[in-house]
Amino acid sequence: AFYASLLADRLCLSAGEKRQARLAAFLHDVGKIGVPSSLLTRRGPLDADERTEVERHPEGGARLIAPLGVSAGLVAAVRHHHERWDGRGYPDHKPAGTTPLSARIIALADSYDAMTGLRPYRKPSTRQQAVVELRAGAGTQFDPELVEKFIEMILAD
């Protein structure tokens, strides 16, 4: 949520858009509550069925928050935070430019946080290593314009 908020600020989004990006970032993985923790903390690779189970968490998250009276945009951001710029993401395989901006912001911020944070299955990457990975994913995994804005932001401090 921290990186998503910073990027929303850097993009000069409206107050409502910034709020939506921040809230969606806080809630984006709420659907993991339905995924066994043994899958989420596994050190080795998941088999196809296990991966499918983990990949259901965005849909589960959207179903969990929709009845709370939150905006449709917030629900969409949670549902689509694992979509990819090239359309190979999940759950809906949305092509470039059709994923909500807040979901694209979350995908980028969450990936950077995952790369640079400690995980049970690997050591954290340095900022420079993460920049290389983000650039490699620009235009395939990530919105290429957002990648450049994000990199400018993280290298500015």
Side-chain angles (χ1 to χ4, degrees):
F2 173 72
Y3 294 118
S5 293
L6 288 178
L7 184 55
D9 283 341
R10 188 166 193 90
L11 295 171
C12 300
L13 300 183
S14 70
E17 290 170 316
K18 289 177 186 179
R19 182 176 185 274
Q20 179 173 289
R22 184 178 65 251
L23 287 173
F26 275 119
L27 295 171
H28 76 280
D29 276 342
V30 69
K32 285 185 177 179
I33 197 165
V35 178
S37 60
S38 61
L39 297 182
L40 299 175
T41 59
R42 169 95 42 93
R43 288 183 183 264
L46 301 174
D47 67 30
D49 290 337
E50 292 167 332
R51 184 164 177 80
T52 297
E53 190 168 355
V54 171
E55 289 180 356
R56 289 189 186 121
H57 83 271
E59 293 170 282
R63 277 195 312 274
L64 282 170
I65 67 169
L68 302 177
V70 298
S71 72
L74 182 61
V75 174
V78 169
R79 180 180 176 89
H80 298 298
H81 73 276
H82 279 292
E83 297 292 353
R84 292 173 48 115
W85 189 252
D86 61 10
R88 295 184 346 199
Y90 58 90
D92 298 319
H93 311 287
K94 296 176 76 61
T98 62
T99 302
L101 177 59
S102 52
R104 288 181 276 143
I105 288 170
I106 294 164
L108 189 53
D110 188 42
S111 292
Y112 179 77
D113 184 60
M115 289 177 211
T116 59
L118 184 61
R119 297 293 188 259
Y121 46 86
R122 62 154 186 76
K123 294 179 181 179
S125 297
T126 66
R127 183 184 323 180
Q128 290 302 325
Q129 289 168 328
V131 165
V132 169
E133 289 294 317
L134 293 175
R135 283 203 171 113
T140 55
Q141 184 174 358
F142 307 115
D143 177 331
E145 290 180 31
L146 289 184
V147 168
E148 286 311 310
K149 294 285 186 190
F150 190 84
I151 290 170
E152 288 171 12
M153 179 188 78
I154 61 172
L155 295 180
D157 69 344

